[in-house]
Amino acid sequence: MQVHELMSTDVVTVPVDATVADAVDRLLGAGVGSVIVVDDAGDPMGIVTESDALRAAREVGRPLTEIDVRAVGHRPVVTTTPSTSVPGVARLMADEGVKKVPVLDGLDLVGVVTLTDVVWHLSSLREEMSAIEAAREAWSPL
């Protein structure tokens, strides 16, 4: 199974000059857990999660309209491609300590894959791995 089979293509973004309040508005409006911070060309520059917004609200002590997303977003952005295997992106998430990964096709932002997406597809992944193992056993010499 590859990333393109489970990623969300409805990517929610905010411009790099947005405030945390703008990011929260987008999060709540779209019902998602993160927004991708993009530059003028649409290239990902960071990611702001619900946790980032809550942390900023608690620690900064200023209104969210005064806090720039650049101050709270995760950088550099850990990305993947649509053709990456799901186990490969899961390993990337674990190695990098992230739960949400933007998906780039060349330079184009085409989706986002989350740890939740991976978990929801675990049974399909197990079935796929079992089928691969069965095929290997059928073709291996005795």
Side-chain angles (χ1 to χ4, degrees):
M1 181 176 286
Q2 295 179 325
V3 166
H4 71 88
E5 297 176 67
L6 58 96
M7 71 183 192
S8 172
T9 56
D10 295 328
V11 182
V12 180
T13 64
V14 293
V16 72
D17 61 352
T19 66
V20 174
D22 297 327
V24 169
D25 286 344
R26 297 300 311 268
L27 286 168
L28 295 174
V32 295
S34 64
V35 293
I36 309 299
V37 180
V38 295
D39 65 13
D40 292 337
D43 297 328
M45 303 299 293
I47 187 168
V48 176
T49 66
E50 292 171 323
S51 297
D52 296 328
L54 288 170
R55 192 173 300 105
R58 180 173 172 257
E59 293 176 0
V60 175
R62 290 182 298 157
L64 297 183
T65 55
E66 296 178 9
I67 304 169
D68 190 67
V69 292
R70 288 177 282 212
V72 300
H74 297 281
R75 293 176 308 226
V77 183
V78 176
T79 63
T80 191
T81 66
S83 61
T84 300
S85 71
V86 173
V89 78
R91 190 172 27 260
L92 175 68
M93 289 175 173
D95 291 348
E96 297 293 333
V98 297
K99 298 177 185 174
K100 298 157 183 6
V101 179
V103 182
L104 297 178
D105 188 2
L107 298 176
D108 297 325
L109 179 62
V110 296
V112 63
V113 63
T114 68
L115 184 57
T116 302
D117 296 327
V118 173
V119 169
W120 276 106
H121 289 85
L122 279 177
S123 62
S124 297
L125 286 166
R126 285 188 189 118
E127 289 173 16
E128 183 178 319
M129 296 194 53
S130 293
I132 291 169
E133 185 61 32
R136 281 187 188 151
E137 289 176 9
W139 285 96
S140 65
L142 297 176

